[in-house]
């Protein structure tokens, strides 16, 4: 029971404790008696700022937004965030308005807006399959009318019109364009495919047959970060790197497997079967804007960084790796820069009925460049420049049509090495096949000292085979190292350690050796009716070029005052490569004919003779003839 005495004692006790605490805090409260915080618990930059909040659960709507647009994305603070998990999309916007009149009557107007479309099949590591859209303003059409924002998650998006807004007051750098991104079922930013569009875009969930799902006529910049060199990734937010540029875009998408059909409903006897969700890009088209004035052309441009040797359409040698370094990094990259006044078509899952991939892939990626539209007075082609990082002069291919078949070579971590979490080049693009054709195509290579023109070229990387041919009844012409070959078809085959071989099918001729200063013509000739075979071999430490002529074969040397030569059913010549020591002609078999030596007469020292001829060292080392018809030299004439 509280008595006056007890109440007074309680008040005195509380007053004493409070006075003691206030006196302690005033006299000793400024002293910190705790030990300093260990360095391992300090912030990384040494500041005292609070750590960022932990990521939201991945199964939440805003958690999916973080995965799609980044942990600090503006979408996290927008007023409207709606999702329909069954239909696989998320819509985030700052302002919502129902359109009551005009061309978009019955649609929904939102600004700014970001849309996430999620595929049903995740990646191998469980990463979601995201395709994202962002625009400063958009008109959206759903399968059913929408009266307020709470109904968005109950509707299916059927059509959209997205537009940028340069005058928007928002500080978001994305306001000047429309952005589309696909993460390729990976959370690594180095796998992203990004499209920037500088104008309005139309989207159709279920377009008419033959019509695209996405289309625009504005400038388009496409960046494939799997194809951009890894050193560019760190600057992706401050600099633009492109894989392709065009002026108009069509994207055709394919659908995944449809869900199982529902049980039959007597009330709906004609119910259509369910459709699968949009799962990826089936076909992509980029367009150019061509005009008669060459200075005002807006061309399609494509940059492809490929593995060394993949784009070697000249058939020349490939730079070797540095064995002292990482094999993946030591391999020099090649840049294929393709430009056309026509349009460009990309197929993500192409099956070619006329070509079987030697590597066994059922489908490949295909980049197709049809013949550009022709304007009177202006001839347009598809041009390809192949640049190796170790070489300054690019190879050049000019054609009417071009097909490039591509594949990806994933980089596997070394044994015992953890999977990297930082930005890293996750795959290397390599060319499987190049096919160029047209009325006239040309190939030029300063590094290989090659110039050729014909009508069809095909290069296959796996077999290191390049085939160059002319139209039926015509001849192609190949000039290499100041030698000239004229034949209907030639096939280059790459070998070990940079060695090459060639097969020339059909009748033809070869011109080689020194240039006559008086006529400007070569002074050594070879002729054949069936086939010419070229190869390289090493004999007793000497590098030799081997030439085999089959079918009414003939070799003529006009470098002497009296021309010499030999004609037989088959001829084999071994030529010393430039810089190899000279030797005499040594017959090898009883059927061989010994060619007598002739005195060498120096040509007159004219300006043409002073020029360096790279084939001066290509001297005959040995010659073999089978079924000799006749032979001739300054001292001997043999008739069969």
């Amino acid at each position: 029971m509280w008595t006056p005495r007890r109440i007074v004692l309680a008040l005195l006790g509380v007053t004493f404790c409070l006075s003691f605490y206030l006196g302690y805090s005033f006299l000793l409260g400024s002293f910190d008696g705790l030990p300093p915080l260990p360095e391992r618990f300090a912030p990384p930059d040494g500041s005292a700022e609070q750590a960022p909040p932990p990521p939201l659960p991945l199964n939440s709507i805003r958690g999916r937004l973080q995965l799609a647009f980044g942990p600090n994305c503006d979408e996290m603070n927008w007023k409207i965030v709606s999702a329909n998990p069954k239909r696989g999309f998320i819509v985030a916007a700052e302002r919502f308005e129902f359109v009551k009149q005009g061309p978009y009557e019955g649609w929904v107007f939102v600004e700014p807006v970001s849309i996430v479309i999620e595929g049903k099949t995740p990646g191998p590591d469980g990463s979601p399959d995201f395709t994202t859209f962002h625009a400063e303003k958009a008109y959206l059409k759903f399968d059913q009318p929408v009266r307020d924002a709470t109904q968005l998650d109950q509707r299916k998006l059927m059509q959209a019109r997205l537009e940028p807004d340069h005058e928007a007051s928002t500080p978001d750098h994305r306001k000047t364009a429309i952005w589309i991104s696909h993460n390729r079922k990976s959370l690594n930013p180095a796998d992203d495919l990004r499209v920037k569009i500088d104008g309005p875009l139309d989207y159709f969930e279920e377009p008419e047959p033959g019509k695209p799902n996405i289309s625009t006529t504005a400038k388009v910049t496409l960046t494939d970060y799997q194809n951009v060199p890894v050193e560019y990734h760190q600057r992706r937010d401050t600099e633009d790197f492109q894989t392709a540029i065009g002026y108009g875009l069509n994207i055709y998408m394919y659908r995944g497997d449809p869900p199982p059909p529902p049980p039959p409903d007597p009330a709906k006897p004609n119910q259509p079967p369910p459709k699968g969700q949009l799962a990826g890009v089936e076909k992509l088209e980029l367009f150019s804007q061509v005009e008669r004035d060459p200075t005002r052309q807006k061309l399609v441009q494509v940059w492809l960084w490929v593995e060394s040797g993949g784009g070697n359409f000249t058939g020349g040698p490939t730079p070797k790796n540095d064995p002292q370094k990482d094999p993946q990094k030591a391999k020099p990259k090649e840049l294929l820069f393709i430009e056309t006044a026509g349009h460009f078509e990309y197929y993500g899952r192409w099956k070619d009925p006329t070509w079987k991939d030697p590597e066994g892939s059922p489908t490949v990626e295909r980049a197709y460049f049809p013949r550009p539209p022709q304007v009177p007075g202006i001839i347009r082609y598809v041009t390809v420049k192949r640049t190796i990082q170790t070489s300054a002069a690019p190879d050049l291919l000019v054609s009417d049509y071009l097909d490039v078949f591509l594949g990806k070579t994933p980089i596997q971590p070394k044994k015992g090495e953890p999977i990297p979490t930082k930005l890293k080049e996750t795959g290397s693009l390599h060319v499987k096949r190049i096919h160029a054709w047209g009325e006239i195509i040309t190939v030029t290579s300063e590094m290989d000292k090659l110039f050729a023109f014909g009508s069809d070229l095909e290069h296959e990387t796996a077999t290191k085979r390049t085939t160059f041919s002319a139209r039926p009844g015509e001849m192609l012409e190949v000039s290499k190292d100041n030698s000239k070959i004229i034949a209907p078809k030639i096939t280059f085959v790459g070998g070990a350690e940079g060695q090459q071989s060639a097969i020339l099918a059909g009748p033809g001729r070869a011109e080689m050796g020194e240039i006559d200063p008086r006529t400007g013509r070569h002074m050594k000739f070879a002729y054949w009716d069936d086939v010419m075979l070229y190869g390289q071999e090493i004999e007793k430490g000497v590098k030799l070029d081997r030439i085999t002529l089959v079918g009414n074969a003939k070799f003529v040397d006009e470098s002497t005052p009296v021309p010499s030569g030999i004609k037989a059913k088959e001829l084999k010549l071994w030529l010393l490569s430039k810089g190899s020591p000279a030797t005499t002609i040594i017959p090898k078999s009883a059927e061989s004919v010994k060619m007598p030596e002739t005195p060498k007469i120096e040509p007159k020292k004219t300006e043409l003779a002073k020029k360096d001829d790279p084939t001066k060292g290509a001297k005959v080392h040995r010659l073999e003839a089978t079924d000799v018809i006749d032979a001739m030299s300054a001292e001997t004439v043999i008739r069969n």
Side-chain angles (χ1 to χ4, degrees):
M1 180 176 180
W2 286 95
T3 62
R5 181 181 177 183
R6 290 179 178 177
I7 293 174
V8 170
L9 291 176
L11 292 174
L12 289 176
V14 171
T15 302
F16 174 77
C17 292
L18 182 61
S19 300
F20 180 80
Y21 174 75
L22 293 175
Y24 167 79
S25 61
F26 177 76
L27 296 176
L28 304 177
S30 59
F31 295 96
D32 185 4
L34 295 176
L37 186 69
E39 294 184 0
R40 65 178 182 273
F41 297 116
D45 57 355
S47 65
E49 296 182 0
Q50 294 183 354
L56 296 174
L58 299 182
N59 57 356
S60 67
I61 296 177
R62 295 186 182 272
R64 309 302 276 182
L65 282 177
Q66 281 187 338
L67 287 179
F69 296 101
N72 299 318
C73 60
D74 295 339
E75 287 80 358
M76 297 295 297
N77 301 318
W78 288 354
K79 298 177 182 178
I80 301 171
V81 177
S82 180
N84 188 329
K86 293 183 179 180
R87 303 190 186 275
F89 77 88
I90 303 174
V91 177
E94 185 69 19
R95 189 170 76 88
F96 170 92
E97 180 182 341
F98 182 74
V99 182
K100 298 181 180 180
Q101 59 183 359
Y104 298 104
E105 182 180 356
W107 293 37
V108 173
F109 174 76
V110 288
E111 65 172 357
V113 60
S114 292
I115 303 173
V116 181
I117 299 178
E118 184 173 356
K120 289 292 186 180
T121 307
D125 60 350
S127 299
D129 180 12
F130 284 149
T131 300
T132 65
F133 298 80
H134 174 82
E136 196 57 32
K137 56 184 180 180
Y139 295 89
L140 308 179
K141 181 181 179 180
F142 295 87
D143 58 344
Q144 299 180 35
V146 177
R147 300 300 176 185
D148 55 67
T150 59
Q151 295 180 335
L152 291 177
D153 58 354
Q154 305 171 16
R155 304 291 186 262
K156 179 180 180 181
L157 180 64
M158 300 301 296
Q159 192 173 341
R161 170 79 172 186
L162 281 65
E163 300 177 357
D165 188 356
H166 295 259
E167 306 299 328
S169 58
T170 175
D172 193 341
H173 72 281
R174 299 176 295 178
K175 66 182 181 181
T176 60
I178 297 170
W179 302 83
I180 306 175
S181 180
H182 182 224
N183 71 343
R184 288 194 172 103
K185 302 182 181 182
S186 169
L187 297 180
N188 188 346
D191 293 328
D192 289 352
L193 176 67
R194 187 176 71 178
V195 182
K196 176 186 175 185
I197 302 171
D198 295 344
L201 173 142
D202 293 302
Y203 168 81
F204 301 88
E205 171 71 17
E206 298 179 1
E208 298 178 4
K211 299 293 184 179
N213 296 85
I214 299 172
S215 66
T216 182
T217 58
K219 180 182 177 181
V220 178
T221 303
L222 185 148
T223 305
D224 183 353
Y225 282 98
Q226 285 188 347
N227 189 236
V228 172
V230 68
E231 58 267 20
Y232 293 166
H233 291 177
Q234 303 292 351
R235 308 197 301 272
R236 59 183 291 167
D237 294 331
T238 58
E239 299 182 38
D240 285 335
F241 305 101
Q242 60 277 334
T243 305
I245 291 178
Y247 298 86
L249 171 72
N250 286 338
I251 297 180
Y252 303 79
M253 305 184 73
Y254 66 89
R255 295 183 178 274
D257 296 332
D265 186 356
K268 299 178 180 180
N270 298 323
Q271 187 174 4
K275 298 181 179 180
Q277 288 189 349
L278 298 178
V281 175
E282 181 74 29
K283 177 183 177 182
L284 181 148
E285 295 176 329
L286 272 179
F287 299 93
S288 60
Q289 294 180 3
V290 297
E291 299 183 21
R292 191 174 183 84
D293 185 357
T295 62
R296 301 178 61 184
Q297 304 292 349
K298 296 180 179 179
L299 307 179
V300 171
Q301 298 174 315
V302 179
W303 291 260
L304 296 176
W305 290 94
V306 300
E307 292 180 357
S308 177
N312 188 8
F313 50 78
T314 67
T318 301
K320 299 179 181 179
N321 294 345
D322 186 351
Q324 302 299 327
K325 300 180 181 180
D326 188 317
Q328 292 289 351
K329 295 182 179 180
K331 215 171 188 179
K333 287 279 190 176
E334 294 179 3
L335 173 62
L336 293 181
F337 173 67
I338 308 173
E339 191 173 52
T340 178
H343 72 279
F344 156 63
E345 299 178 7
Y346 166 82
Y347 299 86
R349 308 181 305 164
W350 179 258
K351 294 182 179 180
D352 195 327
T354 63
W355 174 73
K356 184 177 180 181
D357 184 9
E359 298 176 350
S361 301
T363 62
V364 296
E365 299 179 39
R366 181 195 183 197
Y368 171 58
F369 299 81
R371 185 182 185 185
Q374 303 300 306
V375 177
I378 302 177
I379 301 177
R380 296 191 174 100
Y381 300 100
V382 180
T383 60
V384 183
K385 292 182 180 179
R386 169 182 172 252
T387 303
I388 307 175
Q389 290 181 343
T390 56
S391 173
D395 298 337
L396 180 65
L397 168 64
V398 180
S399 65
D400 290 334
Y401 301 87
L402 177 69
D403 247 337
V404 182
F405 298 88
L406 305 165
K408 292 284 176 63
T409 304
I411 297 178
Q412 302 293 340
K414 297 179 180 179
K415 187 176 181 179
E417 184 181 83
I419 299 176
T421 56
K422 296 184 179 180
L423 287 175
K424 182 180 178 181
E425 193 172 18
T426 58
S428 185
L429 191 71
H430 69 274
V431 174
K432 291 177 174 286
R433 178 179 178 236
I434 293 178
H435 184 203
W437 69 98
E439 293 185 9
I440 297 178
I441 66 174
T442 61
V443 177
T444 307
S445 174
E446 290 189 21
M447 183 177 66
D448 296 331
K449 299 179 181 179
L450 172 72
F451 175 77
F453 64 88
S455 63
D456 191 279
L457 182 144
E458 185 173 349
H459 168 73
E460 195 172 74
T461 303
T463 58
K464 299 181 180 180
R465 182 181 294 266
T466 302
T467 302
F468 200 26
S469 59
R471 289 185 294 183
E474 297 183 359
M475 293 286 188
L476 65 86
E477 185 172 316
V478 178
S479 298
K480 182 176 175 60
D481 290 331
N482 207 28
S483 297
K484 183 185 295 185
I485 297 175
I486 299 174
K489 182 178 180 180
I490 180 171
T491 300
F492 296 101
V493 181
E497 300 181 357
Q499 293 185 356
Q500 288 181 283
S501 61
I503 304 172
L504 287 75
R509 75 176 189 270
E511 303 175 7
M512 65 196 83
E514 295 89 342
I515 299 291
D516 189 338
R518 296 165 296 183
T519 64
R521 296 174 60 247
H522 290 87
M523 303 177 72
K524 294 185 177 68
F525 302 89
Y527 302 87
W528 65 93
D529 285 347
D530 296 338
V531 67
M532 170 183 168
L533 305 176
Y534 168 81
Q536 295 175 326
E537 60 184 51
I538 297 178
E539 182 179 302
K540 297 181 180 180
V542 178
K543 186 176 181 180
L544 302 174
D545 296 332
R546 184 188 69 252
I547 298 176
T548 303
L549 311 176
V550 181
N552 202 22
K554 183 169 62 173
F555 177 73
V556 179
D557 185 356
E558 297 181 356
S559 62
T560 58
V562 178
S564 60
I566 184 170
K567 185 177 181 181
K569 183 178 179 180
E570 180 177 320
L571 286 176
K572 291 185 180 180
L573 293 85
W574 284 262
L575 303 178
L576 285 168
S577 299
K578 184 180 178 181
S580 300
T583 184
T584 57
I585 302 173
I586 306 174
K588 187 177 180 180
S589 66
E591 296 179 340
S592 300
V593 175
K594 184 174 181 180
M595 301 291 292
E597 297 183 13
T598 56
K600 184 176 180 181
I601 300 178
E602 296 291 339
K604 295 180 180 180
K605 294 184 178 180
T606 62
E607 291 298 323
L608 185 60
K610 290 180 181 179
K611 295 182 179 180
D612 181 28
D613 180 3
T615 64
K616 281 184 178 180
K619 299 179 180 180
V620 176
H621 174 69
R622 187 169 69 251
L623 183 147
E624 293 183 11
T626 304
D627 293 339
V628 177
I629 298 174
D630 56 50
M632 180 180 66
S633 68
E635 297 86 1
T636 307
V637 175
I638 301 176
R639 300 293 184 189
N640 188 358

